[in-house]
Amino acid sequence: YHSIAFYGHTDVTLGQYLEEMCFDLHYDCPSNNRLCTHPMYEHRRSYIHHLGKIDVTMDEYPCPIERMSEVILMWGECRLCHKHTPVTRMSDESWRYSFGKYLETTFYSDTLAPRACVCPHDIHRDYVRCFALRNMVVKFEYSAFRIWSIATPTTPLYFNMEVSIRLKEEEARELRKRLDDYYASLASRLEAFPLELVFDERVDECKNALNLLAARAATEQIYFQQTLEQTLRNSHPADTLVIAVVYVALQDKVVEWNLHFSELVQSFIQLDASSRAITAAKRVMSSESLSGSDIGHAKGAPPLASEPKTDALEIIDELHSAAHHHDYVPSDTGVLNTAQFEMPHVCASPSAELSTPTALPAGGSTDSLLDSPLMSRLHRRL
């Protein structure tokens, strides 16, 4: 911002401006930007006022009149019809004219046609005024523009209520589905608990614990359903953030159920390496031998299709994996698989490579069985 007082200490004459600030090729850029190393004649200077802007540019230009390169020559070129006024020498009165007044006349003057009657266009706004000296030319070009004012928003912010209500209903519908899917998966996994791996004397106790957990899961499901409906009734129809309270409570319950399953495995599945491990391996081996034998069909006939079975060791692996994964996020797939005992969104069981049971050696020795990959994996997990 620069204020010009006509013919005062902040003003210069038009001739001084041209000779000292334009045609002086050694005049450096006066800005505080130290990165600018270009001389001033390579710059574009702009003067903005009211509804217009005047750009001042310089360029090399041969002298339009021979042997008059050491005096200031001036003329105008129309941007609309490309005609130009005669080239004349700058008079002393024009040299002493106030530069600030020259800018003001361009910004505020009425329509004025050139005296030479070259064309009917405005000499201030439609013409490019040129000043030449020493094979250099200075051009003054006016351009109009619109000034936009800043419009601040109102203090209260308004939202589209219909969109917020629709989003809240969709979020509540999704949460109901996730609640039902999660507690249905809990019931399926409690039902698929591997009772064949529990101590014989503690089977009844394990069944009672599983029944208690199943009843607790059913009660919690009803509680969360009622909590969600009550939250929706007691909140504003467009308040979409209130459902987050139910999400937080459900996440806490997910972590709590992970701990319950971990305690369940540690309490009832306490296999030792000598007896319980061999028993589990024999059961797996027996089921594999039964499916591959020729019992129940004639010689040469295709074997009967065996029923899908659940690998007890894989179930234990899943239980241990689930007990150490507390960063569960409820699944939105809605597909429940009761053939495996795994917590929702738990990573794949590391025992997947042991899905093929290992048979006992021909001699029936248990020592070689304990050294097998299946038994080594069982020892490490239990």
Side-chain angles (χ1 to χ4, degrees):
Y1 176 78
H2 178 66
S3 178
I4 298 178
F6 300 150
Y7 301 101
H9 64 282
T10 58
D11 192 11
V12 294
T13 64
L14 180 58
Q16 286 178 316
Y17 178 83
L18 294 174
E19 292 180 356
E20 299 176 6
M21 303 181 66
C22 295
F23 292 121
D24 185 2
L25 303 183
H26 300 287
Y27 183 64
D28 296 328
C29 177
S31 66
N32 296 327
N33 186 5
R34 298 181 180 179
L35 299 178
C36 182
T37 58
H38 298 276
M40 197 61 191
Y41 68 85
E42 295 182 358
H43 287 63
R44 174 189 294 269
R45 281 169 282 193
S46 299
Y47 300 91
I48 301 174
H49 184 71
H50 193 48
L51 298 178
K53 179 183 69 170
I54 299 177
D55 293 324
V56 181
T57 58
M58 288 189 64
D59 198 1
E60 295 183 3
Y61 192 84
C63 182
I65 300 179
E66 189 177 356
R67 291 191 297 272
M68 294 189 66
S69 61
E70 295 299 322
V71 296
I72 300 177
L73 303 177
M74 56 184 188
W75 70 95
E77 298 177 354
C78 182
R79 294 179 298 178
L80 302 179
C81 61
H82 305 290
K83 295 181 179 181
H84 59 85
T85 60
V87 179
T88 58
R89 178 177 179 176
M90 189 178 197
S91 62
D92 294 340
E93 291 77 8
S94 299
W95 194 96
R96 298 185 180 91
Y97 194 71
S98 167
F99 179 68
K101 194 68 176 179
Y102 179 77
L103 297 178
E104 182 190 44
T105 304
T106 304
F107 286 127
Y108 290 101
S109 65
D110 297 331
T111 303
L112 180 64
R115 289 183 296 179
C117 299
V118 177
C119 66
H121 302 125
D122 188 2
I123 193 173
H124 293 290
R125 295 176 175 81
D126 299 333
Y127 270 73
V128 177
R129 283 167 288 182
C130 305
F131 300 89
L133 178 66
R134 304 188 189 98
N135 297 324
M136 298 291 294
V137 62
V138 178
K139 297 181 179 180
F140 288 76
E141 185 175 359
Y142 175 88
S143 59
F145 65 91
R146 297 181 62 182
I147 299 179
W148 300 91
S149 58
I150 300 176
T152 58
T154 59
T155 302
L157 299 179
Y158 299 96
F159 299 92
N160 190 343
M161 297 289 292
E162 296 180 358
V163 175
S164 299
I165 293 174
R166 178 175 54 82
L167 292 177
K168 185 177 181 180
E169 293 176 352
E170 293 177 357
E171 187 72 19
R173 192 183 309 112
E174 179 67 19
L175 182 53
R176 292 190 191 97
K177 180 178 180 299
R178 292 193 175 189
L179 278 172
D180 295 339
D181 292 345
Y182 175 69
Y183 280 99
S185 68
L186 288 183
S188 300
R189 285 156 178 80
L190 289 173
E191 183 180 355
F193 191 82
L195 294 175
E196 67 273 8
L197 301 181
V198 180
F199 289 110
D200 295 337
E201 62 273 11
R202 302 195 64 186
V203 172
D204 295 336
E205 183 183 354
C206 181
K207 289 181 178 180
N208 293 334
L210 292 175
N211 292 334
L212 291 176
L213 290 177
R216 178 175 180 177
T219 304
E220 285 184 3
Q221 182 179 4
I222 298 175
Y223 167 77
F224 274 108
Q225 290 174 350
Q226 294 176 352
T227 302
L228 176 59
E229 300 302 328
Q230 183 179 1
T231 302
L232 295 176
R233 286 195 305 268
N234 298 337
S235 61
H236 192 274
D239 187 3
T240 57
L241 300 179
V242 71
I243 304 181
V245 178
V246 185
Y247 270 110
V248 173
L250 180 60
Q251 179 66 29
D252 294 340
K253 283 296 179 182
V254 169
V255 176
E256 185 177 338
W257 274 102
N258 287 341
L259 296 177
H260 287 328
F261 281 116
S262 178
E263 295 172 358
L264 198 64
V265 174
Q266 295 174 5
S267 299
F268 296 102
I269 303 180
Q270 299 288 344
L271 295 180
D272 58 282
S274 59
S275 61
R276 302 295 291 177
I278 297 175
T279 302
K282 286 181 178 180
R283 289 173 180 173
V284 174
M285 185 268 303
S286 299
S287 109
E288 177 68 17
S289 300
L290 182 60
S291 63
S293 66
D294 57 352
I295 299 176
H297 57 80
K299 184 176 179 180
L304 297 176
S306 59
E307 295 293 332
K309 56 184 179 299
T310 301
D311 189 354
L313 299 180
E314 186 175 357
I315 291 177
I316 296 175
D317 260 346
E318 296 300 334
L319 288 173
H320 281 279
S321 300
H324 294 85
H325 287 75
H326 298 162
D327 54 350
Y328 161 71
V329 177
S331 173
D332 55 356
T333 59
V335 179
L336 304 178
N337 183 10
T338 60
Q340 293 183 353
F341 191 92
E342 60 178 1
M343 291 301 294
H345 279 218
V346 175
C347 62
S349 171
S351 64
E353 72 273 11
L354 303 179
S355 59
T356 303
T358 302
L360 286 173
S365 175
T366 59
D367 296 334
S368 58
L369 175 62
L370 293 176
D371 295 334
S372 65
L374 178 63
M375 291 297 99
S376 299
R377 185 52 179 270
L378 183 64
H379 283 295
R380 291 198 303 270
R381 297 304 294 162
L382 301 181

